[in-house]
Amino acid sequence: MAMSAEEKLTLMKRNLQEILGEEKLVEILKTRDVKIYWGTATTGKPHIAYFVPMSKLADFLKAGCEVTILFADLHAYLDNMKAPWELLELRVKYYEAVIKSMLKSIGVDLTKLKFVKGTDYQLSREYTLDVYKLSSIVTEHDARKAGAEVVKQVDHPLLSGLLYPGLQALDEEYLKCDAQFGGVDQRKIFTYAEKYLPHLGYTKRSHLMNPMVPGLTGSKMSSSDEDSKIDLLDTPAQVKKKLKKAFCEPGNIADNGVLSFCKHVLFPLRGSAFEIKRPAEFGGDITYSSFEELEQAFAKEEVHPGDLKNAVEKYLNELLDPIRREFESPELKKLTAQAYPVAKKNAGSKPSQNTAAGGDDLVPSRLDLRIGKITSVSQHPDADSLYVETVDLGEEQPRTVISGLAGIVPMESLQDRLGVFLCNLKPVKMRGIESTAMLMCASIEDPRQVEPLIPPEGSAPGDRVFIEGYNSIKPDDQLNPKKKVWEKLQPDLRVNDKYEAEWQGSAMLTKLGPVITKTVKNSPIK
């Protein structure tokens, strides 16, 4: 039986957080089906949170919409070069393969979908001229504001990041859609499009927004935070391990990534009741026909977090199994390895100059940053300004580190202290003693203030420190002094006004959270 316009709109709106221009959709549905597009920048590997937009695309298709998926390769490059140019084509192929596999796993008919690559039309003469027209009427303030929730924000933004919102706005016209679908974090880009497209003589579109689904740690699910997300190709053992660590406090229904996944993915996709299995002494098996019933039961602590996680694990593996099987093929294994290369260290080889692009790109993932514990500290015998520190970095043998903190930072404050150390500089002798790592500090010259960076509570020697969005490969074995990699990356390392360490606006993190300072802010890290 054919759906009415009201039924189609209800299905399109299910689980959305906000709609801009709903009245236009109502008018369109009186005469024809809605044309809608969803775009994704081909940067980090898609994870299970991608099932959230996938389930909405399934809703749109059921409502009769004409749906286009845009693989936004040019956008990926413009967003702080998260996807190096050399890898764009490979990552587009990976995204297309994995997203098609996801859609098949939830029963979506791919013949009803249109797939488009951004550079197929974004490099055309007409599109390029429109970019120039748009740049002639958009202020720097509006461009920066529009990308505030999507493009990495830095004090001195690159022009590429300012262009990004304009290109996304123009996509609506060049894809000939009635509406664009995305996360609520894109709202500012959507309002930017509504404001500026009419200035070019183009129609203002409607915008449909999903809520931001929390990750397993309770914050936004992120490709750069391994504990926050479950990869689509994770093994059942990895899924179990990550779900076991997931934030799911008894009775707490706020910022609960496990419950959110049930709401936005499992319940919309399931044709049968949601079943939680448990021993008879704990109430026996129980089923829920709606998410609201499950949420109320969890809030009343009638459902234990462990039982909920076990149910989610079962249903999630049912979704992931077809994807895992498809990516067992030699062709897709090779594509995955090429699109997301992992640097390998070979014994006896020359120092690696690995980067995300396999060349000499200046990305912070080249730095081997680790948590270390200073187990002893003493005055350098031949230099009043230097300390000699013995540091446990989680290796078989401790390292010796020379730092110029004498007379600035009290010796006793360093004893048994955890810090962040750069571990792949070429060892250098300082007044006769070889230093094999460098203690990272926030530093202000006038008045003179120096403070070692502070790792998250619970950190341990050897824990990896990384920059958000730059965690897909291993660091160089050793930085080549002639390439001056450290010297070129260091100027963009700083502590912001919130006492948080960052590189070009991207947070410095460990698996436990951000690296910070207590007393020094708005300062470079050296």
Side-chain angles (χ1 to χ4, degrees), residues 165-225:
L167 269 66
Q168 186 168 337
L170 288 172
D171 289 340
E172 297 181 354
E173 173 63 26
Y174 280 78
L175 293 173
K176 302 302 178 185
C177 70
D178 302 309
Q180 183 179 175
F181 164 61
V184 73
D185 60 332
Q186 304 207 26
R187 191 183 195 281
K188 291 178 181 177
I189 290 183
F190 293 162
T191 56
Y192 170 101
E194 291 187 6
K195 176 180 178 180
Y196 283 107
L197 281 186
H199 287 277
L200 299 183
Y202 298 142
T203 303
K204 182 165 69 172
R205 269 69 178 189
S206 301
H207 296 95
L208 300 87
M209 286 165 273
N210 255 349
M212 300 309 296
V213 176
L216 299 178
T217 56
S219 57
K220 177 183 174 182
M221 197 172 290
S222 166
S223 296
S224 64
D225 184 353

Side-chain angles (χ1 to χ4, degrees), residues 395-407:
E395 301 168 323
E396 289 186 12
Q397 298 294 327
R399 297 199 192 193
T400 298
V401 177
I402 311 297
S403 61
L405 300 179

Side-chain angles (χ1 to χ4, degrees), residues 337 340-346 352-356 358 365-366 464 472-477:
Y340 297 94
V342 177
K344 295 182 179 179
K345 298 184 178 182
N346 298 314
S352 168
Q353 292 303 317
N354 272 312
T355 72
S365 48
R366 300 183 66 175
R464 175 88 186 276
S472 60
I473 66 166
K474 293 181 180 178
D476 291 7
D477 294 343

Side-chain angles (χ1 to χ4, degrees), residues 23 31 50 57 109 138 166 257 270 281 305 362 408-409 431 502:
E23 65 284 351
T31 56
Y50 277 66
L57 294 184
D109 184 358
V138 175
R270 289 192 60 73
E281 61 265 33
L362 286 170
I408 304 172
V409 177
R431 294 292 183 93
E502 59 180 32

